[in-house]
Each structure stands twice: as C-alpha cells, then as structure tokens.
Amino acid sequence: MSGPLTRPVEHDGVDDEVAIEEPLEIRVDGAPLAVTMRTPGHDEELALGFLYGEGLIDGPRAAGPTEDFAGNIVVVTGPLTRDPSARSFYTTSSCGVCGKGALEEVAVHAPDLPPGPRISRALLADLPERLRQPGFDRTGGLHATGRFTPDGELLCVREDVGRHNAMDKVIGRALLDGALPLHGAVLCVSGRLSFELVQKAAVAGAPILVGVGAPTSLAVSLAEDRGLTLAGFARRGGVNVYTRPERVL
C-alpha cells in the first residue's frame, strides 16, 4: 500500500516538508532476512523487488504485514530459491573483492537481453522530464524510478529516499503484474547510475536504462557485459549513450 512520502517540519520559523525515512525489516516465512532504510509505502513491492534482484525468488510471492500488523515489517512467503547466506557479489570469485567477481555473480541471475527495443535519442533524453515526482517537488529529497514503453508512455513510477529502493519497488510491481522480464521496457532513474542499479535492471531483464546523472565505471562494465544499453546525463535535450548504442535511433 502507498503511504505519505513527507512530513512537515519547521526551519528558521518557516514551514517545510522533508522526506520520510524509516527502517523496513524484510522477513521470509517469519525469519528476518534484511533491513533497509526506505520511505514507507509500497513495502510489499520493495520486498519482492529486492528478493528478485538478489536471485532469491523467481516469481510472485505473497507479501504483507505481520499478523499483529507491527510497523515497518513486511513478511514474504517462502521458500527462497537459494540459501541467502551464500549471497555475496564481492567474495564469490577466486579474485576476492574485485569487479570481475561482481560481474560474474550478476551473470548467474541476469537473463539474456533481447536485441530490442529501439528508442529515439530525443525521447531517451526527455524521459526524466516525464517522471512524476511529487515527493521530490515538495522536499528535494527523494529519488525516482520509472518504467516506460519505448514510445515514452509511463507505466509505473515510484519514489524513495533510496535510489535502489525506488528501483526495487518498480520491479516488485512488475513482478506482481506478471510483467517480468522487462524485455520491452525502458527504465529511467532520477540520479546517478551505480553498479547496483544496473544489476537490478539486468536481472529484471530491462534492456535500456537511462539516468539524469553519471554512471560509475563498474556500472558501465556491467552494462557492457550484459548487453544493456546504458545512458546518462539525460538533461536539457541531451544524453550520453555509453553501451549498446544500436538500440538508440
């Protein structure tokens, strides 16, 4: 369920609004698995998107509050597809903590991406302008992720204090709607493009990811490795395409 994204505060004698940030504990079959700091709302989507991105579930699961409706806890029905204690993007390879190990771990859970879809460069640059971000407009403190069609239609948008949480919520919604893998979708984020966001997009099967900000070196390497079109600095009518430019007209 959705909830308030902001709460009123006062500074220097002036009324203002700030983004809400609270912990969320994700449990599977009653056992605690992870805690994330998030903006309340769409917690079931967040939990499911997180578990899917980690390769711990492969389809929709029942998710909701505890039996006593305790706050800031969401319970997901198991079983998980693998032992969560074995999850480590950075220590599973022989090289230890390195980019190569991170890329290899993502490849285990990321499906092959299709050659399409294709999108015009002008439309790709304009997608951040099409994100609906009422929480950001009021606070300046929320990130957003949007799922678009290649024609620029906004299908789903979520805001959160954590950019990774906003992405998880969009992917969790797609999981519940039976829309995964996102082979025909374009994902757009309101900030920079980190390795983690590319990982989540690749595992969800999204072939195009665009952001307002800059990508990191490992984000570019992962996008190249998985065949994902990665574009950044989408603003004022311009956009930089870092990988797989054949999808951009």
Side-chain angles (χ1 to χ4, degrees), residues 134-173:
F136 176 83
D137 292 340
R138 298 199 302 272
T139 68
L142 290 167
H143 295 281
T145 294
R147 176 165 67 99
F148 289 86
T149 69
D151 296 325
E153 178 187 359
L154 180 61
L155 301 176
C156 177
V157 62
R158 295 290 184 263
E159 290 185 280
D160 200 281
V161 289
R163 58 174 58 89
H164 55 290
N165 291 337
M167 175 76 79
D168 282 339
K169 289 177 178 180
V170 167
I171 292 172
R173 181 70 259 164

Side-chain angles (χ1 to χ4, degrees), residues 67-154:
E67 291 184 357
D68 60 358
F69 294 95
N72 293 331
I73 299 173
V74 62
V75 180
V76 179
T77 300
L80 299 177
T81 57
R82 64 186 179 114
D83 180 4
S85 65
R87 182 267 190 202
S88 176
F89 280 179
Y90 305 105
T91 58
T92 52
S93 73
S94 58
C95 62
V97 181
C98 71
K100 182 174 181 291
L103 267 61
E104 289 174 346
E105 176 68 13
V106 174
V108 173
H109 307 291
D112 292 334
L113 294 172
R118 303 181 76 191
I119 185 172
S120 74
R121 179 177 285 265
L123 178 56
L124 188 65
D126 188 57
L127 289 186
E129 297 296 324
R130 303 185 182 208
L131 279 176
R132 294 194 298 268
Q133 302 179 67
F136 176 83
D137 292 340
R138 298 199 302 272
T139 68
L142 290 167
H143 295 281
T145 294
R147 176 165 67 99
F148 289 86
T149 69
D151 296 325
E153 178 187 359
L154 180 61

